Amino acid sequence: MVKIIASSVRKGNVLEVEGKLYVVLTAQNFHPGKGTPVTQVDMRRISDGVKVSERYRTTEQVERAFVEDREHNFLYDDADGFHFMNPESYDQLTMSQEDIGDLKAYLQEGMTVILSVHEGVAIAIDLPRHVTLEITETEPVVKGQTASSSYKPAILSNGVRTLVPPHITAGTRVVIATEDGSYVERAKD
């Protein structure tokens, strides 16, 4: 275990609190005009998936669990969960639907991801920052609409809804940020 100050806790870190492991979902530092600065940490207990919200003084020490971050390739998903393979040792790991959460929409076969492994169990996943997807459905272009001011709704090939600039049409490949599902740019391929 490594002790770190609460203000340095980031999304995806694994903390040990009272002997149990938690994966950090969000971590925000608040600096009120008056009073002590605090760090608000929302986390999920790895053993049973219970979500917990904690507040620490920013200078308070928290225990970060030793977790090995390794590249894995996404193979497939089935009723057992999502299957990943370590490209060096060919070991396979499985993560449950609950552990993957909303990120499952962005997983593509063969995609290289970073899995956080603690004692042989995959506990967190880190996807590439951007994925390239195709627009399957969007509204037609409205004449006179300026390109910079407004975005229109669109549906991606993975079923996720997003907002795109007016010049993007159905069939266009676009780059999407996996963190929030937002449009980044038109794909260059």
Side-chain angles (χ1 to χ4, degrees):
M1 297 296 159
V2 179
K3 286 202 178 268
I4 59 171
I5 59 170
S7 63
S8 66
V9 172
R10 299 284 174 261
K11 178 180 177 180
N13 286 166
V14 178
L15 303 179
E16 183 170 318
V17 181
E18 297 169 6
K20 291 190 168 51
L21 291 176
Y22 293 84
V23 65
V24 176
L25 304 173
T26 61
Q28 291 181 304
N29 293 317
F30 293 104
H31 300 277
K34 194 172 167 184
T36 312
V38 293
T39 300
Q40 173 77 35
V41 181
D42 293 329
M43 41 194 182
R44 181 173 35 82
R45 191 165 40 227
I46 292 167
S47 59
D48 56 10
V50 172
K51 289 186 180 172
V52 178
S53 190
E54 289 283 339
R55 272 192 170 194
Y56 300 103
R57 289 188 310 279
T58 53
T59 56
E60 206 172 326
Q61 300 272 319
V62 292
E63 286 194 35
R64 187 169 171 194
F66 178 72
V67 175
E68 193 176 3
D69 291 339
R70 256 220 183 113
E71 281 191 356
H72 282 73
N73 294 333
F74 174 61
L75 298 175
Y76 61 92
D77 65 297
D78 60 15
D80 296 333
F82 292 81
H83 301 270
F84 300 89
M85 180 184 69
N86 181 330
E88 294 165 14
S89 66
Y90 301 108
D91 291 341
Q92 290 190 18
L93 292 172
T94 304
M95 286 185 78
S96 69
Q97 298 268 358
E98 295 80 42
D99 290 342
I100 300 287
D102 297 339
L103 298 176
K104 67 182 171 195
Y106 301 107
L107 275 174
Q108 298 169 351
E109 204 170 294
M111 176 185 273
T112 300
V113 300
I114 305 290
L115 287 186
S116 298
V117 181
H118 180 75
E119 296 178 359
V121 179
I123 53 175
I125 184 170
D126 190 18
L127 293 182
R129 291 173 51 97
H130 300 110
V131 293
T132 303
L133 296 165
E134 191 173 314
I135 301 288
T136 56
E137 197 179 308
T138 187
E139 296 171 2
V141 177
V142 177
K143 267 198 167 185
Q145 198 173 26
T146 59
S148 62
S149 67
S150 58
Y151 277 60
K152 62 183 181 179
I155 297 176
L156 301 167
S157 55
N158 63 357
V160 173
R161 296 181 69 87
T162 190
L163 294 171
V164 296
H167 66 274
I168 301 290
T169 58
T172 306
R173 290 177 51 80
V174 294
V175 177
I176 300 295
T178 55
E179 189 174 3
D180 58 4
S182 63
Y183 169 84
V184 176
E185 64 183 358
R186 178 182 263 168
K188 291 175 175 49
D189 56 8

